[in-house]
Amino acid sequence: MNIVVLVKQVPGTDNVKMDPVTGVMIRSGKDTIINPLDENALAEAIAIKNSHENVKVTAVSMGPESAMKAIKEAIAMGADGGVLISGRAFAGSDTIATAKAIAAAIRKLGDVDLILCGERATDGETGQTGAMIAYYLGIPVATYVSAVEVKEGGVIVKRTVEGGFERVEIPFPVMVTVNKDINEPGFPTLKGKLKAKERAVPVYGPAELGLDPAELGLKGSPTRVVKVFSPKLSRDTIMKKADGTTGPVEEMMKFLAGKEAI
Amino acid sequence: MSTYVNANVEKEQKLSQYKGVLVFGEQKDGKILTVTYELLTRGRKLADDLGCELSCVLLGDEIDGLEEVVKRGADKVFFIKDAALKNFLPRPYSKAITKLCEELKPEVIVAAATTTGRTVMPLVAAMLDTGLTADCTELTVDADTRLLLQTRPAIGGNIMATIKTPDHRPQMATVRPKSAKPAAFDANRTGEVIVKKYEGATFFTPEKFLEYIKDTTQEVSIEEADIIVAGGKGMKNADGFKMVEELARILGAGVGATRDAVELGWTTYPHQIGLSGKTVAPKLYFAFGLSGKIQHLAGMQTSEVVVAVNKDPDAQIFKVADFGIVGDVFEVVPMMIEAFKNLKANA
Ligand SMILES: Cc1cc2nc3c(=O)[nH]c(=O)nc-3n(C[C@H](O)[C@H](O)[C@H](O)COP(=O)(O)OP(=O)(O)OC[C@H]3O[C@@H](n4cnc5c(N)ncnc54)[C@H](O)[C@@H]3O)c2cc1C
């Protein structure tokens, strides 16, 4: 069984800069982590590998060359190998252009049964790429998944939806996007780190993926960022200091009654 | 030069075929969900600004009260009826919506940023080869260009980005549930309810919906709650956090928590609010002993009224609060519990 895990490199802090002209995020490569929910996806893939025979896990990432770090980390945590999609032509890709490129890379890998990724990434936060990749691969998708049961020929997933859970049965090949409830991600092992060092990871550009550069990057992206601005955080706050009396709380009650909030 | 001009004319002709606003309503067990009426509020405004029709599409097997969708603002309601659409499955749903879009050619599609909307819209966008902007907080129309301006928080709410889709149609966006009021009922409104049946194997899918299990561990689901009482690390320990739960019980509110409170095991992940937790937009949000880091604010800053208690006067949470009390939660929160108990007893 072949499993692909998508790992996106995201900023590890909230000090992120945006290019004021193009509205595209400036990625410095320093201070990056694997998108936390992708770590859950990776942990799930490795758990499946450990409990089933003949499972191969490949980590796929798209990003600048520094995203190689994310793949090496995935290998250190137990993935068998990886593929990096990288090149100038991909810069500025929105979700649809990104999905096309990643789908092409997965297709190049051959027979893949299960694709796992985080339900969304902490930087872009759109939660769209997983489903779009499924469309380009022509396979079903299950989102917001908090449990995966691998059976003969497919999976039964538990989706966390508004007010409860859904169970859905889906045959392979399938794309599954996971949430945080699914597991506790592990840590890289020393053996894994050594393996990651040695393992060669191919880097695919548009040519290797047989993609038309017009479909990639900013050119291939239907959406355009036209403006970025700081959210107006401040409200007209009424501030009171606790003084041991019920005074401030009484004032709050009056305020809430005035706002018809209670 | 002339080919360039021709290309532009062609593009404009292509884009100008698209007319009208379409919202994607949701049902569960044949009952129309409130979020549908919130979308009608958004949709009606956009349709009025664009001077076009507002349509609403609903998918299912049997659906009650389709007339109400008209009474709340839709000019046309399309009910795509098929046994395969009874429960949500991404493939049949996205195919059905895409089919309708190919017929209607709407200029704008708005869906809710629910687990359903956020799953099906990316598929529809890919099928129609157009752009999609997730989780918008604001949608407006540029009067000159008729373009939809989609504003959403990015990078954990650190910045807001306005996005447009200049050369592709439809222009698609999802909006957060609870970020608009449900459209008012107007008994005099008229419109059409159109039942669509697409025969054939259109909705065949290898996926099988097995069951829906209601989550009984959460008394009040925080996405649905009008009031949320949230606590952070300042509640000190699991015992302290019980104050948060007590006030929530008195108010019939949902219990919210920061990541730290969840990681310390005081409550469970479904209660986590923020970047890696849930996004909520209740009428009233209580923030107790939490600092208001940007990742937490990302999930709650669209709450209507925010009350914060923190002993640090410079805590970031006060920046998004309407009413702040600088003080110890162990002093102030018990007073609030008393006050609300009295309020209830006298109501
Ligand atoms: C990628 C990423 C994703 C994240 N996702 C989330 C998320 O989804 N949700 C989330 O919440 N966080 C998230 N975080 C973590 C976030 O950055 C903060 O660490 C977290 O929100 C802080 O939680 P807190 O406010 O409970 O704790 P702290 O920041 O430690 O704040 C505790 C507050 O309590 C106050 N306090 C202490 N004692 C008292 C008392 N007796 N009375 C009154 N006030 C008191 C203090 O003054 C302080 O302001 C994320 C971080 C990263 C990097």
Side-chain angles (χ1 to χ4, degrees):
Chain A
M1 182 170 140
N2 283 329
I3 305 181
V4 163
V5 181
L6 305 180
V7 290
K8 183 176 187 184
Q9 197 182 36
V10 297
T13 67
D14 48 29
N15 295 320
V16 183
K17 291 198 176 62
M18 300 287 284
D19 183 326
V21 180
T22 60
V24 172
M25 205 182 304
I26 299 169
R27 295 167 195 270
S28 68
K30 279 185 235 115
D31 229 343
T32 56
I33 54 171
I34 291 182
N35 176 45
L37 292 175
D38 295 347
E39 284 197 10
N40 292 96
L42 181 62
E44 196 60 23
I46 291 162
I48 295 170
K49 180 182 161 78
N50 290 339
S51 57
H52 293 74
E53 304 222 320
N54 296 324
V55 177
K56 195 175 143 211
V57 177
T58 309
V60 172
S61 188
M62 171 164 156
E65 262 165 49
S66 62
M68 184 60 88
K69 193 179 126 199
I71 292 182
K72 293 279 179 173
E73 224 170 288
I75 296 172
M77 287 198 259
D80 297 288
V83 166
L84 177 62
I85 306 162
S86 195
R88 291 190 70 89
F90 298 111
S93 297
D94 72 358
T95 51
I96 231 168
T98 301
K100 282 180 188 166
I102 294 177
I106 294 173
R107 224 177 281 123
K108 194 179 162 80
L109 283 173
D111 285 336
V112 172
D113 303 287
L114 176 63
I115 305 162
L116 290 161
C117 69
E119 165 253 296
R120 55 182 158 162
T122 53
D123 54 352
E125 260 242 292
T126 66
Q128 290 171 187
T129 320
M132 286 174 169
I133 292 169
Y135 170 73
Y136 290 119
L137 291 172
I139 65 173
V141 60
T143 51
Y144 303 96
V145 168
S146 52
V148 177
E149 188 194 325
V150 174
K151 325 185 318 146
E152 184 67 39
V155 288
I156 292 180
V157 296
K158 180 178 163 201
R159 303 181 64 225
T160 305
V161 299
E162 289 76 10
F165 309 99
E166 283 176 7
R167 287 177 68 246
V168 185
E169 190 179 331
I170 314 168
F172 291 135
V174 56
M175 159 68 104
V176 171
T177 80
V178 308
N179 67 21
K180 189 177 165 171
D181 275 346
I182 196 162
N183 54 35
E184 279 295 327
F187 293 97
T189 60
L190 186 61
K191 201 172 130 221
K193 280 183 184 165
L194 291 173
K195 186 175 86 182
K197 233 186 198 156
E198 289 163 10
R199 186 83 15 121
V201 173
V203 180
Y204 295 154
E208 287 85 356
L209 296 177
L211 292 169
D212 175 0
E215 280 197 64
L216 306 173
L218 216 47
K219 262 190 282 165
S221 299
T223 58
R224 286 280 174 281
V225 177
V226 284
K227 188 171 80 174
V228 292
F229 57 100
S230 295
K232 187 180 151 273
L233 267 192
S234 64
R235 301 189 183 199
D236 298 326
T237 315
I238 300 172
M239 290 294 278
K240 299 285 163 195
K241 218 170 157 5
D243 55 6
T245 75
T246 54
V249 170
E250 278 161 26
E251 289 190 50
M252 176 202 74
M253 297 298 282
K254 271 197 215 120
F255 172 80
L256 292 181
K259 285 264 173 195
E260 291 179 24
I262 48 170
Chain B
M1 182 66 198
S2 70
T3 44
Y4 173 75
V5 172
N6 282 340
N8 261 348
V9 169
E10 216 171 275
K11 186 190 101 186
E12 265 170 34
Q13 276 171 350
K14 204 178 96 200
L15 298 189
S16 66
Q17 297 170 12
Y18 290 82
K19 287 201 177 63
V21 173
L22 176 69
V23 299
F24 168 47
E26 293 187 31
Q27 58 92 13
K28 188 158 203 85
D29 294 330
K31 305 265 175 301
I32 294 171
L33 300 179
T34 317
V35 76
T36 307
Y37 306 134
E38 296 169 17
L39 291 171
L40 290 174
T41 301
R42 298 267 192 176
R44 191 67 259 169
K45 172 91 180 51
L46 294 173
D48 291 347
D49 289 349
L50 286 164
C52 65
E53 264 186 359
L54 172 63
S55 305
C56 176
V57 57
L58 281 142
L59 281 58
D61 188 15
E62 298 289 339
I63 301 179
D64 299 337
L66 288 166
E67 256 318 300
E68 183 163 351
V69 182
V70 169
K71 302 294 180 205
R72 289 186 189 258
D75 299 309
K76 283 190 182 136
V77 183
F78 293 93
F79 168 28
I80 308 181
K81 186 172 159 61
D82 197 300
L85 302 174
K86 184 170 193 283
N87 293 301
F88 173 66
L89 284 176
R91 277 193 161 189
Y93 264 56
S94 56
K95 280 190 179 162
I97 297 171
T98 302
K99 218 159 161 53
L100 182 71
C101 289
E102 282 165 357
E103 278 178 41
L104 281 188
K105 294 205 186 311
E107 198 170 1
V108 171
I109 306 179
V110 183
T114 52
T115 56
T116 299
R118 290 188 71 156
T119 303
V120 76
M121 284 301 118
L123 293 168
V124 173
M127 286 185 201
L128 297 173
D129 196 28
T130 187
L132 168 63
T133 305
D135 239 346
C136 298
T137 50
E138 215 183 298
L139 290 180
T140 55
V141 169
D142 181 286
D144 297 331
T145 59
R146 293 179 70 86
L147 286 177
L148 183 68
L149 300 177
Q150 310 149 354
T151 300
R152 70 182 301 259
I155 322 180
N158 280 301
I159 60 151
M160 301 296 284
T162 302
I163 293 161
K164 63 180 182 184
T165 312
D167 303 327
H168 294 69
R169 292 292 177 276
Q171 306 168 83
M172 297 181 46
T174 61
V175 294
R176 297 180 182 205
K178 300 252 168 199
S179 62
K181 288 208 162 48
F185 188 91
D186 175 358
N188 296 322
R189 265 196 66 88
T190 53
E192 257 181 286
V193 176
I194 301 153
V195 180
K196 284 257 167 202
K197 285 194 183 167
Y198 294 110
E199 307 291 341
T202 322
F203 304 128
F204 169 79
T205 180
E207 307 150 86
K208 210 158 92 200
F209 185 92
L210 300 177
E211 59 179 335
Y212 172 73
I213 308 160
K214 209 173 152 52
D215 181 9
T216 48
T217 63
Q218 273 175 276
E219 276 181 42
V220 181
S221 115
I222 53 177
E223 289 113 318
E224 300 292 317
D226 280 338
I227 305 178
I228 289 173
V229 185
K233 216 158 84 187
M235 303 313 296
K236 291 273 183 307
N237 48 42
D239 246 13
F241 196 82
K242 288 214 171 74
M243 279 194 325
V244 171
E245 288 164 347
E246 187 183 351
L247 183 57
R249 200 161 39 240
I250 293 166
L251 292 169
V255 172
T258 63
R259 189 170 83 170
D260 291 43
V262 169
E263 272 169 11
L264 289 161
W266 305 343
T267 184
T268 53
Y269 174 64
H271 296 274
Q272 183 175 318
I273 292 171
L275 188 56
S276 44
K278 284 179 178 152
T279 302
V280 295
K283 294 201 175 71
L284 178 56
Y285 192 93
F286 288 95
F288 296 151
L290 62 86
S291 57
K293 289 276 155 48
I294 196 80
Q295 293 89 358
H296 186 75
L297 300 189
M300 55 66 70
Q301 63 191 353
T302 46
S303 302
E304 213 165 298
V305 176
V306 177
V307 172
V309 182
N310 195 304
K311 63 181 183 190
D312 172 9
D314 298 321
Q316 170 105 335
I317 189 68
F318 287 130
K319 291 220 169 76
V320 299
D322 300 279
F323 199 99
I325 300 179
V326 179
D328 191 325
V329 286
F330 292 92
E331 174 190 329
V332 179
V333 178
M335 286 180 186
M336 284 189 187
I337 290 173
E338 260 333 284
F340 282 112
K341 267 189 188 158
N342 288 337
L343 186 75
K344 262 195 116 175
N346 298 329

